[in-house]
Amino acid sequence: MMKTAAMCVLGDRRGRKRRPVAFALAAMVLVAGQAAGVAPEGEEKKPATVVQRLLETPYLTDAERADIRVRHGIWTDSDLADVSRRARAALVRGAWDDPALSDAKADVLDRAEGMILRGQWAEAIGVLTALEPKAQTLRALRLTAAAQAATGDKDAAIKTLAKLEQRVIKERQNSAWELVEGVRGLHLKSQIEGPSKGAQDFQSMMSMLARAREQLDRMCWTASLEEAFLLVEKDNRSEGAEAFEQVLELNPSAAEAYYALGKMSVDSFAFEQAEKIVAKLRELAGPVDRAETEPAGTHEAGEPVAPYADMLESRLRVRQRDPAGALAVLKPTLSRFPGQLEARALEAAAIAATFDMAGVDRVLAEMDRLSPNTHLGYLFVGKALSEQRQYADGAKYLEEATRRAPKLADGWIELGLLEVQAARDDRALAALEKAEALDPFNVRAANSLKLVRDVANFSRIESDHFIVRYRPGVDQALAREMPAILERIYARVTGDKPGGIRYPLNFKTVIELMPDHQWFSVRITGMPQVHTMAAATGPLIAMEAPRLGEKNTVGAYDWARVVQHEFTHTVTLARTSNRLPHWFTEASAVYLEDAPRDWNYIQILARAYETKALFDLEEINIAFTRPKKPSDRSQAYGQGAWMYEYIVTKYGPEAPLKLMDRYAAGDREPAAFQTVLGVTREQFFEEFKAWAGEQLIAWGMRPKPGQPELLTLLDEWRKTLGAGHEEDPPTIEVVDAWLKDYPDHADLLELAVKLRVTGNKNKASAEMVPLIEAFAAARPGDPTPHKLLAALFLDETSPAHDAAKAITHLEFLDAREQNSASLSVQLARLYAAEGDWDKAWAKAIRACTVAPYEAANREFAATVAIKRGDFEGAKWQLETLKILEPDRPIHAQRLKALEDLKAKKK
């Protein structure tokens, strides 16, 4: 992401080099598996070295050692025999309804905190206000204010926190743990009424935490915990994750730290890590004896509830586009703790992801009853709708969140980021400037604000259906060529040819050509299903400039094909309001790339078919977001496009469009399939598999009827050799004998070619040409025979040398190449050698499209244009060279020479 003043201030909180958040999260998983007590079976959990040294101090009593073990999350069963320690442990491990937290023998503040966590705020206030004045510690004041704020009595909460603030200012705290409570109270105050002194509030809190940790008690893990919360609140996630790591080193049972790290994992799409943390949180909450306290009609006695795990998994499922699963995992927590606000807000967010807005409003109304004028539900719902690209509805809920909490930055930040995705930059600017005024240290807001301000200075080129925005400079070279290509894409995608969406847009799509990956990342921050180099947010498509550079990650790529894929998302989103099954969304976009099927997809699909591992219509959606093996996501893309093709082939080109309209009307996939296709999803899948099997035969990926499997032939042959030959490879003579019986057997042809090429220093020879051509015909999607033949025909030392014959095979390969212009250039030169200047021009232009910043490609294209008498085409390329290389006077000289040549031709 872009460097900002906020990042400079927030980074390096301890003078160390900042680490990427992915690194910190990976380290956290290590902590979760080792330091956090997941010891191998039979081994005892080991405390951090510093805690162990303290426990070994000889003057400690057994009770003091037990207190230390509980405080640092390494308790023993005997430690928890004491009710007060059990209650403290329950808070640490996230077991909010442990009976100890309702036991009068437990510390009153622990009991009150348990009530607040469960959503029992009135009861907590009753307990806390009954405390004697001398018992009104900073923690007691902080808890009282939290309960008051939750009930909607923010005025009372502010008064309570004013008392806390005065004590923090006037009384020098000598207990690190109590000082942290004071900071937590100040943090709560800023969350309720906004920061009173802006950046100074944050710096003051961080300074107090540093004193608690570094001067008062280096083992005070709550100081690192609060520090982490503050850093993550500012979107300084790398430093925040590092602080959480330190928490877990000192307290491997700290559920709050795990939960926060889990949320960060979900936000960064580290789903596997999030799943591990969910499991850890369930382990920490653990089974407890609830037989006497279990509410009637909920869970069975003794069944554990892990609220942090439930809430984290709900967040995860929503991000994975599984709102039904998100609601299901929340049920235990909502049943046990119906007043828990965060759980209720997550419930509303999950319902929003199902587009049941009446259901959303019912939950929000219940939240208002529980906590009048709370903004939390509106914030969560707005974020969920933004992720679903429901920008109009999302903005409505986020605007309400800012109305309810105008002094809190979080609502303004999310609203600003939504408007960034919606390409409504004026609105984004207003919201993000408000956020910056309230929270100048928020890194994500600062980055997005910088982007919006900088993009305002971008140049723009407008066509009938697109607005291309680019940073002045070399990017103009590509930007000025984009409109003509984009308009062709528009006609194809919105048109009525097979696969076309038949839906003209009533707005112009913005294409932002980002100069490097940092710019691109900021523009798409928080977007799910992000493409490596381009992403559609709906009315906007951001793409990284296709060039090599220090800050560019992908280099050259076929941007036109990528944008055609992303623009398909824009059009289907507009036609359906993004109410499409995930697989169908991607299937239509891959289908409309109008490109040959990828060989990698073919191999994956053939393997899945043979192993009976094709995804059904439930599994394919899960494969996109929760892949079980590395190939799952690729299989989902390939199989989805294959099923889409099947729908078009069997049911006609209008069938996918009718399905889209049913989805837009609110139908779920089972009902839509029954209405449009006249079959259940199960019937569709079985019929698709039968068709897919025939396709694989045509592709040469399965034997034709009457042809044996290659493995069968090998097994039978090896049996004739006797024992000890079970692994013998077949000879060329054996394979040739099989080919006499099955001359178009793709696997045999592949094996025959492989054996010969391997024996010829991995090169084809003239004698192999008929065999390789037969292989190419038998397996039409495999690039291998075309690579062999192209290399052979281009080899000037070979008797088979014939450059013209190489063209067909190079064309096959070039049609499938997405990241290099070399084949296009080679073809252009071959066509030029034949004097076919029109074909040479077409290939030279493709080379300039895939690698638009390569000056050599431009120079060659200009030469070809002149040869074909296209002086305007040559002029365009020379002008582009002036943009790419402004310091080279030769380009101006060439333009002058071109004008002279044109004059002579007249």
Side-chain angles (χ1 to χ4, degrees), residues 74-93:
I74 53 173
W75 50 76
T76 64
D77 288 344
S78 60
D79 293 336
L80 300 187
D82 178 84
V83 171
S84 61
R85 292 195 193 105
R86 183 180 174 93
R88 291 201 299 275
L91 290 176
V92 169
R93 64 189 180 93

Side-chain angles (χ1 to χ4, degrees), residues 127-148:
V127 168
L128 291 164
T129 54
L131 291 173
E132 296 290 333
K134 63 180 181 180
Q136 292 288 345
T137 61
L138 295 180
R139 183 187 179 196
L141 292 172
R142 191 262 301 176
L143 292 172
T144 302
Q148 290 167 333

Side-chain angles (χ1 to χ4, degrees), residues 1 27 86 123 159 161 253 270 303 392 397 421 445 453 470 473 485 660 791 828 843 901:
M1 299 176 74
R86 183 180 174 93
E123 293 93 324
K159 288 180 182 178
L161 290 170
S253 300
E303 183 179 354
Y397 284 92
Q421 306 305 322
R453 287 170 173 164
Y470 64 94
I485 296 173
M660 290 182 196
K843 285 298 170 182
L901 181 61

Side-chain angles (χ1 to χ4, degrees), residues 77-306:
D77 288 344
S78 60
D79 293 336
L80 300 187
D82 178 84
V83 171
S84 61
R85 292 195 193 105
R86 183 180 174 93
R88 291 201 299 275
L91 290 176
V92 169
R93 64 189 180 93
W96 301 344
D97 59 347
D98 188 301
L101 285 171
S102 301
D103 195 311
K105 296 176 184 177
D107 184 281
V108 65
L109 297 185
D110 290 337
R111 287 190 283 122
E113 186 154 355
M115 294 172 188
I116 292 169
L117 289 169
R118 295 191 295 266
Q120 298 167 328
W121 309 304
E123 293 93 324
I125 291 171
V127 168
L128 291 164
T129 54
L131 291 173
E132 296 290 333
K134 63 180 181 180
Q136 292 288 345
T137 61
L138 295 180
R139 183 187 179 196
L141 292 172
R142 191 262 301 176
L143 292 172
T144 302
Q148 290 167 333
T151 62
D153 192 352
K154 293 182 179 179
D155 290 338
I158 291 170
K159 288 180 182 178
T160 301
L161 290 170
K163 296 177 184 176
L164 177 144
E165 184 175 28
Q166 286 302 307
R167 288 181 56 179
V168 171
I169 293 171
K170 294 179 179 179
E171 299 174 5
R172 183 169 180 81
Q173 300 297 324
N174 293 317
S175 164
W177 307 85
E178 189 68 359
L179 179 56
V180 171
E181 288 293 341
V183 175
R184 294 184 69 179
L186 296 176
H187 188 184
L188 177 61
K189 183 173 181 288
S190 71
Q191 291 175 322
I192 294 173
E193 62 176 1
S196 60
K197 299 177 182 177
Q200 187 177 338
D201 287 351
F202 171 76
Q203 292 170 327
S204 176
M205 287 188 286
M206 291 294 282
S207 295
M208 284 187 277
L209 292 171
R211 176 173 176 262
R213 186 186 61 249
E214 296 171 9
Q215 297 179 25
L216 297 178
D217 188 346
R218 290 187 176 276
M219 292 191 296
C220 181
W221 57 267
T222 58
S224 293
L225 182 67
E226 181 61 20
E227 185 177 52
F229 288 146
L230 286 167
L231 288 165
V232 171
E233 189 177 85
K234 307 303 179 188
D235 275 305
N236 187 339
R237 294 174 176 242
S238 178
E239 292 293 327
E242 188 176 330
F244 283 127
E245 281 184 63
Q246 293 197 341
V247 172
L248 294 173
E249 288 171 4
L250 291 170
N251 184 342
S253 300
E256 278 189 281
Y258 282 112
Y259 181 52
L261 282 163
K263 290 190 288 185
M264 291 169 61
S265 297
V266 171
D267 289 344
S268 59
F269 304 99
F271 295 152
E272 185 177 350
Q273 292 180 25
E275 295 276 10
K276 290 179 180 178
I277 297 172
V278 168
K280 182 61 186 176
L281 287 167
R282 295 201 186 285
E283 175 193 327
L284 284 170
V288 295
D289 181 10
R290 297 190 180 88
E292 297 179 1
T293 60
E294 188 75 23
T298 57
H299 288 66
E300 295 180 3
E303 183 179 354
V305 171

